[in-house]
Amino acid sequence: MTKSPVILARDVVKTYQVNAQTITALRGVSLSFAAGEYLAITGPSGSGKSTLLQLLGGLDLPTSGHLELMGTPIERLSDAQLADLRLRRVGFIFQRFHLMPVLSARENIELPLAEAGVRPAERTARALDLLAYVGLTARADHRATQLSGGEMQRVAIARALANRPALILADEPTGELDARTGAQILDLFDRLHADGTTLVVVTHDEHLAERAARRVHLLDGLVDRDEIARR
Amino acid sequence: MPALIAAALLAAALQSSPLPGVAVERRLAERFHVAVGDSLALTPRAESPTRWYRIEAIYQPRPDPATALRGEYQVRFHLPEIAGLLSAGDRVDRVAVATRTGIAADSAAFRLNQLAFGYQAYPSATIASESSQTFAVVSRFHRAIGLIAIMASAIFLLCIMLLKVEERRLDAAVMRMIGIGRLTIFKAFVLEVTFVAAIGSALGVGLAWAAGTITNLVYQRRFETALVFSYLTSDIILLGVGLSLGLGILVGAFAAARLVRTRPLALWRRAG
Amino acid sequence: MTWALVIRSLFRHPVRTALVVLGIAVAAALLLDMVMLSGGMERSFSRMLLSRGFQIRLSPRGTLPFDTEATIPGITPLLGRLHQDPDIAAAGPVVAASLHARVRDSLVTFVGYGIDPSSQGLYEVRSGDNLSSTDTTGLLISTPVAERTGWTIGDSVTLLGRLDPQSARAGIERTLVVRGVVRWLYDARGQRSLGANFRVVQRLGPFPDRDVASMVMIKVKTDLAVDRVAARIRSQHPGVEVNSVATLVRQFRARLVYFHQLSLILATISLVVGVLLVGTILTIAVNERAGEFAVLRAIGLRRARIVGLVMAEGAVLTAVGSVLGTGLGLVTARFLDRILTSFPGLPAAISFFVPAPDTTALAAIVILVAGVSAAAYPAYLAARAPIAQTLRADAE
Ligand SMILES: Nc1ncnc2c1ncn2[C@@H]1O[C@H](COP(=O)(O)OP(=O)(O)OP(=O)(O)O)[C@@H](O)[C@H]1O
Ligand SMILES: [Mg+2]
């Protein structure tokens, strides 16, 4: 791999202060990966997977250590710059979908486009393309609350893809779905990977982890194993 | 009585001849720093000549809302003195008549009016009702404004109570799911709302009392009067407390009823 | 997109939103009424005083116009000197006296105004003719007079003056012809007033020194010169009270200080109610939707945009509320005005609540600004919440 890393983390520590107690979620994680990689982060509950993913996406700042997103050290980014980074370069997918309930499927996808300044006609077209990509053309004008879990997650994926991000971060994207629906999402991820998107997926799901080219196993806030799958 | 202008007020330079006596009201004495025994020059008009009087008494007039706000001062004369000052000759503005017991003021006034021109006799009750006309208007105005204020605060109350209950959506769902009966939950919420409304009402009465006290203090000083401007009567307290308690509990009960009627799962979902 | 989010979020709790809008509407209505009340009396008083363009009043020393029965002596030479002032366009004397007439069997009392028809600021002709300057036999009546007496234009009527209170015998009688029906600008509702030539009323009135006036109304050529002219008259004629309309309005205001303070207090209360309503509702809404705001931040909305969204909700609530409130306020103002104008003895031309575009706009803007600023705190809450933590809490 000769490309410059999308993410570079060195000795990243994250602690939380709960009342008088300090909880250490990450004890010094070092990790880097390049564009086009498909990475699965696994580990037991409480090992710090979600915490790491949030740091990688700039939703939170590390307590100490060095973290570079797309070549820029995170501490050099202002809050607004971080927001722009999340808007244009990173796409988030959550276990609980987190669509805006008052907007339709299409509008949910248009939201980050509108935010990025894309003109209405153009963003509607792109939203419809993305809905087609995730196979939901028929549900374009349904409110988020009128969709099933699998459908919501597909809309969420389309939303994450809206601004053609360099990096997709997903936290247990199949956690709330049954096996068959989950498999559909995994197929979609395969397609994204094939289309050249960089993917980082946190999961308990063995099937998902198996599909990723590289698996990082966390244990107690540290990287326990970092292995490239032999396919 | 025509307004008197105190043109020049001088502390007692000893006067040789005895001056006619007047009584002045306390506010005037305080304002111009004069005391019993001081002499006072009075004139009905600025350009008219002044006459000298000796202050024989200082008195506290009965608080009168009709005159309190005018910022005028009262001086009392012996009748011939003021007639002389005003060069009004043999005339008066008013004569008070007391009827023998058993004779109605109305019929006495009617007979007096038939007797001669030059005066008009009124029963005191009529005068009282006419002179309180202004205050009747003001009080009607206050009532109208009060109505609007009550509307605004009632809506505010409705909002808060509605939210107070809706806030407990998740609790309601949990309670329903662990098998607590609808009526029990409903009662619990209504009790809670009643409690909140009661505390609010008590605070409100306290606030009203404080505001009224401040109003009285400020206006009594400003107009130098003992008049009471704001009365917090038991009627008003009853109305305020009744309204807030009644409305509060009613809305709380309505919202609580809506909450316990919904299916627990739906509650759960909307809470999430 | 922003507006879709804002509006639909408000529609998620229709009852709640409707109540808030209604609450703001009532608060805005009260605010508008109080703004109207605080400026309205003065405005309508000043409009009434200036209705015929006379900016200065001379009255007997130490009195306000028509406050007492006192008179200004030596009026003819005074008028002569006033007419020589190059800044003065007109100087109209007015003398007021109680006049009487026998109507059928009873004695009716009127307020008699003696005026100079060529320069008067006291009435407007409704029907018939105005008097001419030299007409010493003509009479002007008002509608309440016509209703009480049945007099019509062209009638000859006998007026009695200087009535002896003991005998009810008139000291003087004069027969005049009704020329026109007028509206007296300063009369209370239903007040019965007559008008005749200035010299005629001087003779009919109880004035031992006949060359008197109750008041002189002065029209200055330009508004800019009013204060200068007033000061000049004051120094030349120390025996009279000189008041410009502006100073009269000031004195009027001092007498109505109560309404001023009431309007101030109630306006403040209504603002507080509005601010509290918007503030509480939005704070609760923001807390309920903390997760949604965290998601918006996660997908790339800046803090400022979150602030904007919440403020926009506040703005929509208050905007709709203040539009409704303006209508409501105008209606209630008419109702309140009807109550207050029933004050005994108040000139019919005075209103307490005067609707004007600028006060209406002022009240609407004030409540809008208050509503939007009330949204500032919840907006700050929403924008400041930590994203990761809120998302985690929301997923639980
Ligand atoms: N905001 C927070 N405040 C306090 N403690 C936190 C916070 N976020 C995470 N933690 C703690 O940090 C540790 C790591 O949490 P994290 O959510 O990253 O684990 P995880 O690997 O994602 O677990 P799971 O598989 O259950 O989702 C846990 O012990 C958790 O309790
Ligand atoms: Mg997790």
PDB file of all heavy atoms in Angstrom, chain A residues 96 98 101, chain B residues 169-170 265-272, chain C residues 12 288-289 291-292 393-396:
ATOM      1  N   ARG A  96     -28.852   2.372  14.980  1.00  0.00           N
ATOM      2  CA  ARG A  96     -30.265   2.762  15.096  1.00  0.00           C
ATOM      3  C   ARG A  96     -30.745   3.680  13.962  1.00  0.00           C
ATOM      4  O   ARG A  96     -31.670   4.453  14.132  1.00  0.00           O
ATOM      5  CB  ARG A  96     -30.488   3.476  16.427  1.00  0.00           C
ATOM      6  CG  ARG A  96     -30.417   2.547  17.618  1.00  0.00           C
ATOM      7  CD  ARG A  96     -31.806   2.370  18.130  1.00  0.00           C
ATOM      8  NE  ARG A  96     -31.907   1.460  19.225  1.00  0.00           N
ATOM      9  CZ  ARG A  96     -32.574   1.736  20.347  1.00  0.00           C
ATOM     10  NH1 ARG A  96     -33.114   2.921  20.495  1.00  0.00           N
ATOM     11  NH2 ARG A  96     -32.687   0.833  21.274  1.00  0.00           N
ATOM     12  N   HIS A  98     -31.067   6.448  12.781  1.00  0.00           N
ATOM     13  CA  HIS A  98     -31.035   7.891  13.026  1.00  0.00           C
ATOM     14  C   HIS A  98     -31.382   8.734  11.816  1.00  0.00           C
ATOM     15  O   HIS A  98     -30.666   9.671  11.460  1.00  0.00           O
ATOM     16  CB  HIS A  98     -29.663   8.322  13.550  1.00  0.00           C
ATOM     17  CG  HIS A  98     -29.433   7.941  14.981  1.00  0.00           C
ATOM     18  ND1 HIS A  98     -30.374   8.123  15.968  1.00  0.00           N
ATOM     19  CD2 HIS A  98     -28.355   7.384  15.584  1.00  0.00           C
ATOM     20  CE1 HIS A  98     -29.881   7.708  17.119  1.00  0.00           C
ATOM     21  NE2 HIS A  98     -28.666   7.237  16.925  1.00  0.00           N
ATOM     22  N   PRO A 101     -37.025  11.963  11.449  1.00  0.00           N
ATOM     23  CA  PRO A 101     -38.369  11.386  11.325  1.00  0.00           C
ATOM     24  C   PRO A 101     -39.357  12.265  10.553  1.00  0.00           C
ATOM     25  O   PRO A 101     -40.322  11.753   9.997  1.00  0.00           O
ATOM     26  CB  PRO A 101     -38.824  11.218  12.781  1.00  0.00           C
ATOM     27  CG  PRO A 101     -37.969  12.129  13.568  1.00  0.00           C
ATOM     28  CD  PRO A 101     -36.668  12.227  12.846  1.00  0.00           C
TER      29      PRO A 101
ATOM     30  N   ARG B 169     -44.126  10.330  29.500  1.00  0.00           N
ATOM     31  CA  ARG B 169     -44.516   9.310  28.540  1.00  0.00           C
ATOM     32  C   ARG B 169     -43.811   7.970  28.776  1.00  0.00           C
ATOM     33  O   ARG B 169     -44.430   6.911  28.865  1.00  0.00           O
ATOM     34  CB  ARG B 169     -44.138   9.845  27.153  1.00  0.00           C
ATOM     35  CG  ARG B 169     -44.747   9.163  25.997  1.00  0.00           C
ATOM     36  CD  ARG B 169     -44.549  10.024  24.780  1.00  0.00           C
ATOM     37  NE  ARG B 169     -45.659  10.939  24.635  1.00  0.00           N
ATOM     38  CZ  ARG B 169     -46.867  10.548  24.272  1.00  0.00           C
ATOM     39  NH1 ARG B 169     -47.113   9.288  24.000  1.00  0.00           N
ATOM     40  NH2 ARG B 169     -47.838  11.412  24.177  1.00  0.00           N
ATOM     41  N   LEU B 170     -42.497   8.079  28.921  1.00  0.00           N
ATOM     42  CA  LEU B 170     -41.697   6.868  29.087  1.00  0.00           C
ATOM     43  C   LEU B 170     -42.072   6.166  30.390  1.00  0.00           C
ATOM     44  O   LEU B 170     -42.248   4.942  30.427  1.00  0.00           O
ATOM     45  CB  LEU B 170     -40.214   7.245  29.083  1.00  0.00           C
ATOM     46  CG  LEU B 170     -39.255   6.085  28.876  1.00  0.00           C
ATOM     47  CD1 LEU B 170     -39.433   5.511  27.471  1.00  0.00           C
ATOM     48  CD2 LEU B 170     -37.817   6.563  29.053  1.00  0.00           C
ATOM     49  N   LEU B 265     -46.977   0.111  23.912  1.00  0.00           N
ATOM     50  CA  LEU B 265     -45.878   0.032  22.936  1.00  0.00           C
ATOM     51  C   LEU B 265     -45.750   1.312  22.142  1.00  0.00           C
ATOM     52  O   LEU B 265     -44.657   1.776  21.844  1.00  0.00           O
ATOM     53  CB  LEU B 265     -46.109  -1.157  22.006  1.00  0.00           C
ATOM     54  CG  LEU B 265     -45.385  -2.425  22.478  1.00  0.00           C
ATOM     55  CD1 LEU B 265     -45.662  -3.569  21.530  1.00  0.00           C
ATOM     56  CD2 LEU B 265     -43.884  -2.169  22.607  1.00  0.00           C
ATOM     57  N   ALA B 266     -46.925   1.891  21.821  1.00  0.00           N
ATOM     58  CA  ALA B 266     -46.909   3.153  21.085  1.00  0.00           C
ATOM     59  C   ALA B 266     -46.250   4.235  21.930  1.00  0.00           C
ATOM     60  O   ALA B 266     -45.480   5.061  21.438  1.00  0.00           O
ATOM     61  CB  ALA B 266     -48.331   3.566  20.721  1.00  0.00           C
ATOM     62  N   LEU B 267     -46.547   4.187  23.227  1.00  0.00           N
ATOM     63  CA  LEU B 267     -45.923   5.148  24.135  1.00  0.00           C
ATOM     64  C   LEU B 267     -44.425   5.002  24.091  1.00  0.00           C
ATOM     65  O   LEU B 267     -43.674   5.954  24.021  1.00  0.00           O
ATOM     66  CB  LEU B 267     -46.387   4.883  25.576  1.00  0.00           C
ATOM     67  CG  LEU B 267     -47.793   5.310  25.951  1.00  0.00           C
ATOM     68  CD1 LEU B 267     -48.061   4.905  27.382  1.00  0.00           C
ATOM     69  CD2 LEU B 267     -47.919   6.807  25.785  1.00  0.00           C
ATOM     70  N   TRP B 268     -44.018   3.737  24.124  1.00  0.00           N
ATOM     71  CA  TRP B 268     -42.595   3.434  24.134  1.00  0.00           C
ATOM     72  C   TRP B 268     -41.929   4.038  22.907  1.00  0.00           C
ATOM     73  O   TRP B 268     -40.915   4.696  22.993  1.00  0.00           O
ATOM     74  CB  TRP B 268     -42.421   1.927  24.139  1.00  0.00           C
ATOM     75  CG  TRP B 268     -41.004   1.515  24.311  1.00  0.00           C
ATOM     76  CD1 TRP B 268     -40.117   1.265  23.323  1.00  0.00           C
ATOM     77  CD2 TRP B 268     -40.328   1.337  25.538  1.00  0.00           C
ATOM     78  NE1 TRP B 268     -38.904   0.935  23.856  1.00  0.00           N
ATOM     79  CE2 TRP B 268     -39.009   0.974  25.230  1.00  0.00           C
ATOM     80  CE3 TRP B 268     -40.687   1.457  26.878  1.00  0.00           C
ATOM     81  CZ2 TRP B 268     -38.056   0.723  26.199  1.00  0.00           C
ATOM     82  CZ3 TRP B 268     -39.730   1.196  27.836  1.00  0.00           C
ATOM     83  CH2 TRP B 268     -38.440   0.843  27.498  1.00  0.00           C
ATOM     84  N   ARG B 269     -42.573   3.795  21.785  1.00  0.00           N
ATOM     85  CA  ARG B 269     -41.961   4.213  20.545  1.00  0.00           C
ATOM     86  C   ARG B 269     -41.846   5.738  20.487  1.00  0.00           C
ATOM     87  O   ARG B 269     -40.821   6.281  20.142  1.00  0.00           O
ATOM     88  CB  ARG B 269     -42.805   3.712  19.382  1.00  0.00           C
ATOM     89  CG  ARG B 269     -42.024   3.854  18.114  1.00  0.00           C
ATOM     90  CD  ARG B 269     -42.709   3.294  16.928  1.00  0.00           C
ATOM     91  NE  ARG B 269     -42.303   1.938  16.660  1.00  0.00           N
ATOM     92  CZ  ARG B 269     -42.968   1.190  15.804  1.00  0.00           C
ATOM     93  NH1 ARG B 269     -44.048   1.647  15.218  1.00  0.00           N
ATOM     94  NH2 ARG B 269     -42.566  -0.033  15.562  1.00  0.00           N
ATOM     95  N   ARG B 270     -42.950   6.409  20.857  1.00  0.00           N
ATOM     96  CA  ARG B 270     -42.909   7.869  20.769  1.00  0.00           C
ATOM     97  C   ARG B 270     -41.957   8.461  21.790  1.00  0.00           C
ATOM     98  O   ARG B 270     -41.472   9.571  21.636  1.00  0.00           O
ATOM     99  CB  ARG B 270     -44.305   8.446  20.948  1.00  0.00           C
ATOM    100  CG  ARG B 270     -45.134   8.231  19.693  1.00  0.00           C
ATOM    101  CD  ARG B 270     -46.515   8.771  19.827  1.00  0.00           C
ATOM    102  NE  ARG B 270     -46.509  10.214  19.980  1.00  0.00           N
ATOM    103  CZ  ARG B 270     -47.609  10.906  20.218  1.00  0.00           C
ATOM    104  NH1 ARG B 270     -48.756  10.277  20.319  1.00  0.00           N
ATOM    105  NH2 ARG B 270     -47.562  12.203  20.344  1.00  0.00           N
ATOM    106  N   ALA B 271     -41.703   7.692  22.833  1.00  0.00           N
ATOM    107  CA  ALA B 271     -40.762   8.199  23.824  1.00  0.00           C
ATOM    108  C   ALA B 271     -39.332   8.095  23.323  1.00  0.00           C
ATOM    109  O   ALA B 271     -38.477   8.870  23.688  1.00  0.00           O
ATOM    110  CB  ALA B 271     -40.916   7.415  25.129  1.00  0.00           C
ATOM    111  N   GLY B 272     -39.061   7.099  22.463  1.00  0.00           N
ATOM    112  CA  GLY B 272     -37.685   6.807  22.054  1.00  0.00           C
ATOM    113  C   GLY B 272     -37.063   7.805  21.118  1.00  0.00           C
ATOM    114  O   GLY B 272     -37.429   8.908  20.976  1.00  0.00           O
TER     115      GLY B 272
ATOM    116  N   ARG C  12     -45.273  18.355  14.678  1.00  0.00           N
ATOM    117  CA  ARG C  12     -45.240  17.068  15.351  1.00  0.00           C
ATOM    118  C   ARG C  12     -46.095  17.070  16.606  1.00  0.00           C
ATOM    119  O   ARG C  12     -46.596  16.045  17.026  1.00  0.00           O
ATOM    120  CB  ARG C  12     -43.802  16.768  15.769  1.00  0.00           C
ATOM    121  CG  ARG C  12     -43.194  15.655  15.001  1.00  0.00           C
ATOM    122  CD  ARG C  12     -41.741  15.867  15.018  1.00  0.00           C
ATOM    123  NE  ARG C  12     -41.066  14.790  15.716  1.00  0.00           N
ATOM    124  CZ  ARG C  12     -39.748  14.762  15.836  1.00  0.00           C
ATOM    125  NH1 ARG C  12     -39.032  15.756  15.358  1.00  0.00           N
ATOM    126  NH2 ARG C  12     -39.164  13.763  16.418  1.00  0.00           N
ATOM    127  N   GLU C 288     -36.162  16.964  24.024  1.00  0.00           N
ATOM    128  CA  GLU C 288     -36.778  15.775  23.423  1.00  0.00           C
ATOM    129  C   GLU C 288     -36.036  15.340  22.165  1.00  0.00           C
ATOM    130  O   GLU C 288     -35.939  14.165  21.866  1.00  0.00           O
ATOM    131  CB  GLU C 288     -38.224  16.092  23.020  1.00  0.00           C
ATOM    132  CG  GLU C 288     -39.221  16.032  24.142  1.00  0.00           C
ATOM    133  CD  GLU C 288     -40.595  16.489  23.657  1.00  0.00           C
ATOM    134  OE1 GLU C 288     -40.709  16.940  22.490  1.00  0.00           O
ATOM    135  OE2 GLU C 288     -41.533  16.396  24.431  1.00  0.00           O
ATOM    136  N   ARG C 289     -35.570  16.311  21.424  1.00  0.00           N
ATOM    137  CA  ARG C 289     -34.975  15.995  20.124  1.00  0.00           C
ATOM    138  C   ARG C 289     -33.462  16.110  20.142  1.00  0.00           C
ATOM    139  O   ARG C 289     -32.831  16.296  19.101  1.00  0.00           O
ATOM    140  CB  ARG C 289     -35.559  16.939  19.067  1.00  0.00           C
ATOM    141  CG  ARG C 289     -37.054  16.771  18.982  1.00  0.00           C
ATOM    142  CD  ARG C 289     -37.709  17.374  17.760  1.00  0.00           C
ATOM    143  NE  ARG C 289     -37.042  18.452  17.121  1.00  0.00           N
ATOM    144  CZ  ARG C 289     -37.512  19.706  17.071  1.00  0.00           C
ATOM    145  NH1 ARG C 289     -38.641  20.009  17.666  1.00  0.00           N
ATOM    146  NH2 ARG C 289     -36.847  20.634  16.431  1.00  0.00           N
ATOM    147  N   GLY C 291     -31.242  13.908  20.376  1.00  0.00           N
ATOM    148  CA  GLY C 291     -30.645  12.918  19.496  1.00  0.00           C
ATOM    149  C   GLY C 291     -30.650  13.377  18.045  1.00  0.00           C
ATOM    150  O   GLY C 291     -29.659  13.249  17.331  1.00  0.00           O
ATOM    151  N   GLU C 292     -31.772  13.954  17.634  1.00  0.00           N
ATOM    152  CA  GLU C 292     -31.858  14.415  16.245  1.00  0.00           C
ATOM    153  C   GLU C 292     -30.827  15.497  15.948  1.00  0.00           C
ATOM    154  O   GLU C 292     -30.209  15.507  14.882  1.00  0.00           O
ATOM    155  CB  GLU C 292     -33.260  14.962  15.964  1.00  0.00           C
ATOM    156  CG  GLU C 292     -34.276  13.855  15.818  1.00  0.00           C
ATOM    157  CD  GLU C 292     -35.682  14.403  15.721  1.00  0.00           C
ATOM    158  OE1 GLU C 292     -35.859  15.488  15.146  1.00  0.00           O
ATOM    159  OE2 GLU C 292     -36.595  13.736  16.237  1.00  0.00           O
ATOM    160  N   ALA C 393     -26.491   8.308  24.306  1.00  0.00           N
ATOM    161  CA  ALA C 393     -27.616   8.384  25.240  1.00  0.00           C
ATOM    162  C   ALA C 393     -28.930   8.142  24.504  1.00  0.00           C
ATOM    163  O   ALA C 393     -29.849   7.515  25.027  1.00  0.00           O
ATOM    164  CB  ALA C 393     -27.636   9.747  25.918  1.00  0.00           C
ATOM    165  N   ASP C 394     -29.020   8.653  23.286  1.00  0.00           N
ATOM    166  CA  ASP C 394     -30.254   8.535  22.520  1.00  0.00           C
ATOM    167  C   ASP C 394     -30.513   7.094  22.112  1.00  0.00           C
ATOM    168  O   ASP C 394     -31.650   6.678  21.940  1.00  0.00           O
ATOM    169  CB  ASP C 394     -30.160   9.420  21.277  1.00  0.00           C
ATOM    170  CG  ASP C 394     -31.524   9.674  20.695  1.00  0.00           C
ATOM    171  OD1 ASP C 394     -32.415  10.083  21.461  1.00  0.00           O
ATOM    172  OD2 ASP C 394     -31.716   9.437  19.490  1.00  0.00           O
ATOM    173  N   ALA C 395     -29.399   6.305  21.947  1.00  0.00           N
ATOM    174  CA  ALA C 395     -29.567   4.930  21.488  1.00  0.00           C
ATOM    175  C   ALA C 395     -30.019   4.026  22.625  1.00  0.00           C
ATOM    176  O   ALA C 395     -30.478   2.917  22.386  1.00  0.00           O
ATOM    177  CB  ALA C 395     -28.240   4.427  20.901  1.00  0.00           C
ATOM    178  N   GLU C 396     -29.911   4.513  23.853  1.00  0.00           N
ATOM    179  CA  GLU C 396     -30.250   3.655  24.990  1.00  0.00           C
ATOM    180  C   GLU C 396     -31.745   3.495  25.180  1.00  0.00           C
ATOM    181  O   GLU C 396     -32.504   4.358  24.798  1.00  0.00           O
ATOM    182  CB  GLU C 396     -29.629   4.230  26.270  1.00  0.00           C
ATOM    183  CG  GLU C 396     -28.237   3.643  26.478  1.00  0.00           C
ATOM    184  CD  GLU C 396     -27.407   4.493  27.412  1.00  0.00           C
ATOM    185  OE1 GLU C 396     -27.974   5.348  28.117  1.00  0.00           O
ATOM    186  OE2 GLU C 396     -26.175   4.306  27.408  1.00  0.00           O
TER     187      GLU C 396
END
